[in-house]
Amino acid sequence: MMAWFLSKPLPAGVPAPDFSLSDESGREVRLSSLRGRNVVLVFYPGDETPVCRRQLCAFRDHWSALQARDVAVFGVNPQSAESHARFRSKHAFPFPLLVDRGRQVAALYHAKGLIVKRTVYLIGKDGRIRFARRGNPPVEEVLAAAE
């Protein structure tokens, strides 16, 4: 019963599960099409909640460093495209927010629970997980894992 609570993120070194989700504009994002780039996935519980807002704003505020390391960033949670569009616009996020209806991708990445478990992944250019941590790790720590 408490297995979801105790689950750990996928370990570094394993291939990242492929997925396809739509962003807040309805554009499809497929992980496998991003091979050759570093990809950050930020699984977060809710748009416009204080910790989530701070976490995503930190990625926005480090955007030039992320761009310099060829890092694509995506926020991921099950809220609607409309909610994501408002959240992204209000805080000027330079990266898309993906709609994970039913939390299937959260499940693939061990971030599914009663609510989405705040989890950050960095997937390397080779499609393997290079960084995985629950909570709100500093952007610099995530960036240090980029190839």
Side-chain angles (χ1 to χ4, degrees), residues 9-17 109 121-124 126-132:
L10 294 171
V14 303
Y109 282 83
Y121 286 96
L122 185 133
I123 300 161
D126 61 356
R128 292 188 172 274
I129 293 171
R130 297 177 60 90
F131 178 93

Side-chain angles (χ1 to χ4, degrees), residues 19-74:
F19 65 84
S20 178
L21 290 175
S22 294
D23 71 8
E24 77 287 341
S25 304
R27 282 187 296 267
E28 183 185 328
V29 173
R30 181 173 293 282
L31 181 63
S32 57
S33 72
L34 297 166
R35 191 65 50 87
R37 295 191 71 190
N38 293 293
V39 177
V40 168
L41 301 177
V42 181
F43 290 92
Y44 66 101
D47 295 342
E48 288 303 347
T49 59
V51 176
C52 297
R53 183 173 55 248
R54 274 195 308 276
Q55 184 170 32
L56 293 175
C57 284
F59 280 95
R60 176 199 65 200
D61 296 346
H62 285 83
W63 192 243
S64 59
L66 290 156
Q67 294 279 269
R69 299 295 297 273
D70 194 26
V71 178
V73 176
F74 299 94

Side-chain angles (χ1 to χ4, degrees), residues 3-4 6 11 17 47 56 72 80-81 88-90 93 116 134 147:
W4 69 268
L6 301 172
D47 295 342
L56 293 175
S80 70
R88 183 178 181 198
S89 174
K90 182 175 180 182
F93 297 138
V116 171
R134 292 270 192 254
E147 296 180 67

